[in-house]
Every structure is written in C-alpha cells, then in structure tokens.
C-alpha cells in the first residue's frame, strides 16, 4: 500500500531553516537537485502540520524529491502562542514559503502542492508567477472563504436531525469547547473531512497538533472547519488566479467540505487546469484513496516534462 510504503521511507534530510528570528521545520525525501523539480508540500489549517500529507513522500520512489514543512506556529516550527491577529497574516506564510525555497536552493525548479488552506496559499504564491515554479496542485481547497462559509451553511443543513441545532446552541453560548459540541462536530467531520473509520494515525497526528496549539487555527480560521470566524473569513484569490501560468491540477473528493462550488473558480479562471474528483473521498483523498491519488499525482508530474 502507498501509505505504508511512504511511512517507511526515511527522510534524506531534515532540520530547520531560519525565518527571520524564527525557525521553519522541514524534511526532504529523495535527493534535491537530481534533475527533477522538488515537490514542495504546503499543509492545511492554517495551523495544522505536514503529518496528514506524509504519504506524498512515496513519490520520491518514482524519482521526484518531496519537501514537507510545518508552517510557523505549529509542529516542529517555532510556536508563538502570544502573537495576535496582526501577526498571523497571509503574507507571513507567503514570505515563509519563499524563504524555504531559497534556503533549500530549489526556488529555480519546483512543483507546489497545497492542501486546503495550503491550496489557497499555493494559488496566491503561483499568481505572482515565480520563475522557478513548474506546476501547481491545488487539493481540496477554497478559492474564496465567503463561498466556503456559504457552502458550510448548506452542508450543515443536511446533517442528521438535531445535530446542527446542537452546534448552533453551543456557538451562540460560546461553549464550542464542550464535549457535546465536539460530538456533534464529529458528525460533520466524519462526512466531509475524513470518511475512514478509524481515522489514520497520520491524520490524527495533524488533528491533535492543531488542538495542542490552536493559536494559528483559532486566529485565522475559527473553532471548526465549518465555523470560520477568523481573519480569513473574507479572504479570496479569485481576483488573481487568472494570472497563474503553470499547468495546474485540481483535486477534490465527492464528499469534500471543499465542495464543487468552492473549487469551481479555479477551474473557471486558471488558464491551464484540469480537475480530478475522487469518488470515494472527502477532504483527504491522499488517505482515503491512496493508490489512485498516487497514480494521479505521478501522471501529473510526468506531464510536466
């Protein structure tokens, strides 16, 4: 199985790079500067970690070096629980990505993969037309948080009777940290975030990391996937993604919280784009359909020449 093989692959390098006065943690699987562009993996959240995407490392066995990193504020990178909303900006994470590319000396030859929040971040990065970017993968990602919020309302309305009432009662009372809210939240997550039972340990690792230090997630997103009250609530890339010049692969799941309406602007606006929908998946097709995911990713990388 792809996921087992990926977990058994030892990184060829790992460590941290300085980012101003902070540190960004990274790991490399395969060999950089091998004649093929590195696949750089930007995780979701914001405020999650690389763990849920670690099985992309299996692509190194096919000849593409893979770079995972933890964005500042979580995982192995510098944690800053005392920083407020004025610090946690989209530009901060764009600057961190640029810094990582330069520090690893791959800014002149790379492919960028972004999942969920990492997908909208990757799209914003690509819209600036960086010279070394060879291809882009936007996986399970919104193009517009206002559209995302609208779609969350629609998905919530289709939950089993009483579930959304419970969620709204706690949201109104400010008790989203209660056990009853968590149980109701899990109903949504099991439908639209990860449909596997039990959740894979690499996904659980990411989920627990978010809640071990929720500073970034709560500040930029909000308390849950379907209640976006943070600084990203009105953020969108629909004004700039037509500027993306590289071949782009869209990925989403049939049951994804990143619904068709959420992903559609990428399809409509990016000039060179194709869209793969995973019929048995929700928000993490790399875990829910790992064999097909690997095949789709490998075919895309080969198509870049």
């Amino acid at each position: 199985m792809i996921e087992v093989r990926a977990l058994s692959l030892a990184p060829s390098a790992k460590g941290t790079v300085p980012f101003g006065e902070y540190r960004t943690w990274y790991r490399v699987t395969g060999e950089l500067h091998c004649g093929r562009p590195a696949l750089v993996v930007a995780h979701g959240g914001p405020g999650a970690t690389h763990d849920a995407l670690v099985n992309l490392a299996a692509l190194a066995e096919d000849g593409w070096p893979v770079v995972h990193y933890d964005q500042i504020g979580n995982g192995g990178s510098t944690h800053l629980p005392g920083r407020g909303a004025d610090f946690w900006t989209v530009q901060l994470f764009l600057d961190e990505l640029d810094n990582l590319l330069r520090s690893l000396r791959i800014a002149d030859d790379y492919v960028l993969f972004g999942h969920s929040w990492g997908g909208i971040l990757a799209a914003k990065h690509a819209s600036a037309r960086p010279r070394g970017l060879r291809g882009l993968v936007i996986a399970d990602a919104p193009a517009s948080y206002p559209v995302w919020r609208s779609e969350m309302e629609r998905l919530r309305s289709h939950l089993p009777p009483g579930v959304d009432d419970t969620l709204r009662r706690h949201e109104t009372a400010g008790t989203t940290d209660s056990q009853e809210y968590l149980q109701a939240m899990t109903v949504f997550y099991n439908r639209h975030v990860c449909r596997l039972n039990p959740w894979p340990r690499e996904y659980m690792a990411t989920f627990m990391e978010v809640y071990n230090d929720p500073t970034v997630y709560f500040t930029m997103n909000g308390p849950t996937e379907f209640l976006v009250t943070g600084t990203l609530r009105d953020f969108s890339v629909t004004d700039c993604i037509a500027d993306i010049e590289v071949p782009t692969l869209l990925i989403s799941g049939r049951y994804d919280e990143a619904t068709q309406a959420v992903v559609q602007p990428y399809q409509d606006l990016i000039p060179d784009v194709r869209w793969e929908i995973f019929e048995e998946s929700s928000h993490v097709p790399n875990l829910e359909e790992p064999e097909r995911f690997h095949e789709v990713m490998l075919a895309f990388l080969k198509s870049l020449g």
Side-chain angles (χ1 to χ4, degrees):
M1 295 292 288
I2 296 296
E3 67 269 36
V4 174
R5 191 171 80 228
L7 290 171
S8 69
L9 288 175
S12 53
K14 62 180 179 178
T16 63
V17 298
F19 174 46
E21 59 187 296
Y22 315 116
R23 310 289 299 189
T24 300
W25 179 93
Y26 73 92
R27 59 168 274 169
V28 179
T29 311
E31 298 302 323
L32 299 179
H33 316 293
C34 65
R36 282 179 168 166
L39 178 69
V40 179
V41 180
H43 64 69
T49 61
H50 77 285
D51 298 89
L53 301 168
V54 73
N55 67 346
L56 273 74
L59 290 161
E61 289 195 331
D62 298 295
W64 277 268
V66 179
V67 177
H68 288 87
Y69 74 105
D70 286 339
Q71 295 162 24
I72 185 172
N74 288 85
S77 296
T78 304
H79 289 231
L80 296 160
R83 294 302 182 101
D86 59 336
F87 180 80
W88 303 109
T89 64
V90 174
Q91 190 61 52
L92 173 75
F93 293 99
L94 289 169
D95 292 344
E96 181 185 34
L97 175 56
D98 287 341
N99 180 73
L100 178 71
L101 296 171
R102 290 192 302 268
S103 298
L104 297 181
R105 296 184 296 110
I106 56 174
D108 60 346
D109 194 24
Y110 65 102
V111 177
L112 186 56
F113 176 101
H115 177 257
S116 197
W117 143 256
I120 198 169
L121 180 72
K124 184 69 172 177
H125 172 90
S127 72
R129 300 177 177 174
R131 292 180 59 186
L133 182 63
R134 306 296 178 227
L136 176 67
V137 183
I138 300 172
D140 315 279
S144 162
Y145 276 98
V147 175
W148 175 279
R149 289 190 285 116
S150 174
E151 284 295 280
M152 292 306 102
E153 290 295 313
R154 185 178 66 81
L155 293 179
R156 288 174 64 148
S157 72
H158 292 292
L159 293 174
V163 173
D164 195 40
D165 291 339
T166 298
L167 292 171
R168 293 185 188 279
R169 184 172 72 253
H170 285 286
E171 288 162 5
T172 300
T175 52
T176 56
D177 58 349
S178 70
Q179 187 62 34
E180 186 180 38
Y181 187 84
L182 178 62
Q183 290 173 348
M185 179 188 82
T186 301
V187 177
F188 180 97
Y189 279 43
N190 287 340
R191 283 189 172 200
H192 300 298
V193 181
C194 182
R195 293 171 68 85
L196 298 175
N197 185 19
W199 284 357
R201 60 189 177 96
E202 56 268 44
Y203 186 74
M204 282 299 301
T206 281
F207 189 81
M208 294 307 298
E209 286 279 3
V210 171
Y211 287 96
N212 284 339
D213 184 352
T215 304
V216 183
Y217 188 76
F218 283 5
T219 300
M220 296 185 75
N221 185 83
T224 70
E225 295 291 278
F226 51 79
L227 185 61
V228 180
T229 57
T231 58
L232 288 176
R233 61 179 283 111
D234 296 317
F235 183 69
S236 173
V237 292
T238 55
D239 62 337
C240 66
I241 53 179
D243 294 330
I244 294 173
E245 294 182 322
V246 296
T248 300
L249 170 66
L250 301 179
I251 288 173
S252 64
R254 179 61 66 190
Y255 306 98
D256 208 326
E257 61 178 351
T259 63
Q260 181 171 336
V262 163
V263 179
Q264 191 67 45
Y266 292 120
Q267 175 72 22
D268 293 341
L269 297 171
I270 297 175
D272 184 0
V273 64
R274 68 180 181 88
W275 190 353
E276 291 280 350
I277 296 176
F278 286 72
E279 296 294 339
E280 303 301 324
S281 294
S282 55
H283 199 53
V284 281
N286 65 299
L287 299 176
E288 294 166 293
E289 295 181 65
E291 298 289 343
R292 180 168 176 241
F293 178 87
H294 186 85
E295 291 170 2
V296 168
M297 282 295 300
L298 187 57
F300 177 70
L301 291 171
K302 288 179 177 179
S303 75
L304 299 176

